[in-house]
Amino acid sequence: MKLARRDVPASTGAVIAATGSFAAISTLFGNPLAAAFLLLEASGLGGPMATIVLIPGLLGAGVGSLIFLGLDAWTGYGTFSLTVPHLPPAAPLDGAQFGWAVAIGVAAAIVSFGIKWLALFLRPHVERRLVLLTPLAGLAIAGLAIAFAQATGKPSSAVLFSGQGALTPLLEHAASYTVGTLVLLMVCKGIAYAISLSSFRGGPTFPGMFIGAAGGIALSHLAGLPMIAGAAIGVGAMTAGMLQLPMTAVLLTTLFFGTDGIKVIPLVIVAVVVSFVLSKWLAGPPAAPEVPEPEEATVPPQVR
């Protein structure tokens, strides 16, 4: 940077240096996530408060996992894994897949922005008449699920529920889904997702991952994009667009796809960064807090 320009701000040089450190440690450990977490912790970006919160939280997470693992004679509830089994091996990476990663990142940012916009648009209207409009919202979601099932012959649960349970069958039986079925699934799921966010309780994680996987599988019917790579890119990009947490998006995608997730992690990172940056741009700058205007001082009448 100093050779290219001598008037580079110190902050820019620090960012470029940190980027080089991330790349070097990623090469050393063979995993980009290891580099990200190591440098975030070592650099102290979160400040002293982050350590105060994270250390007890990390300890609580470890002890809390005993509920599933068990201890001595106490049996746990049993372990479970997010990793999807029985997936075909990921294809070797090439330049075309990185092009698809950029394109899917752009599409995911637009789709996630549209879902959140529709949810925020509907929410104040539903809140005015909760008793009347909440059941109507539920009927609309049920209608979308029934319409998808009748049109495609696929189960309505793919639209009706969060997608956590349906994501594994979708990936394992991706070959049985046509492009038209996947597109209709994305449309119905996206609208139902927005209605749910506006009218019911629910989180933004698994429905976004499901929509991203369906979109990636649909695009894998085109040239240059293997199915596993397309699904992983779609999951990561939609998760980043909905949650606005890029590192979490990469981590969740890697956990879901297991060994395949590690093989395609460079593609996922590219798509996640594109989706995160573009979704931030689409959302615009945060609204400035309203500052109350100072009241005019009143002058007491003079006493004569």
Side-chain angles (χ1 to χ4, degrees):
M1 288 295 295
K2 290 181 179 178
L3 290 175
R5 292 182 58 186
R6 299 191 176 211
D7 57 343
V8 177
S11 58
T12 303
V15 171
I16 298 300
T19 303
S21 299
F22 271 67
I25 296 178
S26 172
T27 304
L28 179 64
F29 287 109
N31 192 312
L33 288 177
F37 282 102
L38 187 150
L39 281 176
L40 283 176
E41 197 169 28
S43 62
L45 292 178
M49 183 56 67
T51 303
I52 294 174
V53 174
L54 287 176
I55 293 302
L58 182 63
L59 180 62
V63 175
S65 64
L66 295 176
I67 294 176
F68 302 97
L69 299 174
L71 180 65
D72 291 333
W74 296 344
T75 58
Y77 284 107
T79 58
F80 67 94
S81 175
L82 292 176
T83 304
V84 179
H86 312 304
L87 290 178
L93 304 185
D94 54 30
Q97 294 178 44
F98 279 95
W100 277 113
V102 174
I104 293 175
V106 172
I110 297 172
V111 171
S112 60
F113 175 79
I115 290 172
K116 288 187 283 189
W117 178 88
L118 181 58
L120 293 174
F121 173 78
L122 294 175
R123 180 177 178 180
H125 299 284
V126 176
E127 287 179 341
R128 293 193 191 105
R129 298 181 178 179
L130 283 174
V131 176
L132 174 63
L133 295 183
T134 301
L136 291 179
L139 289 174
I141 295 172
L144 289 168
I146 294 171
F148 170 77
Q150 292 296 319
T152 63
K154 298 295 182 181
S156 60
S157 58
V159 174
L160 193 59
F161 301 117
S162 70
Q164 181 178 1
L167 186 55
T168 296
L170 175 66
L171 293 170
E172 291 181 342
H173 306 289
S176 65
Y177 285 80
T178 64
V179 175
T181 299
L182 292 168
V183 171
L184 183 61
L185 176 59
M186 292 177 61
V187 172
C188 294
K189 187 76 170 181
I191 298 174
Y193 187 13
I195 296 174
S196 297
L197 287 174
S198 68
S199 311
F200 298 97
R201 299 174 67 181
T205 306
F206 286 105
M209 296 175 69
F210 186 87
I211 293 173
I217 295 171
L219 291 173
S220 69
H221 287 78
L222 300 176
L225 183 64
M227 190 277 289
I228 292 297
I233 293 170
V235 168
M238 277 299 297
T239 305
M242 293 302 302
L243 296 184
Q244 295 293 288
L245 300 172
M247 290 181 59
T248 301
V250 177
L251 178 61
L252 285 175
T253 305
T254 305
L255 290 176
F256 257 90
F257 287 87
T259 305
D260 290 328
I262 296 175
K263 292 179 180 178
V264 299
I265 197 170
L267 303 173
V268 174
I269 290 175
V270 170
V272 162
V273 171
V274 172
S275 176
F276 174 75
V277 173
L278 182 56
S279 60
K280 284 286 189 185
W281 181 80
L282 290 173
E290 297 182 1
V291 179
E293 298 181 359
E295 298 182 357
E296 296 182 1
T298 56
V299 180
Q302 295 182 354
V303 179
R304 295 183 179 177

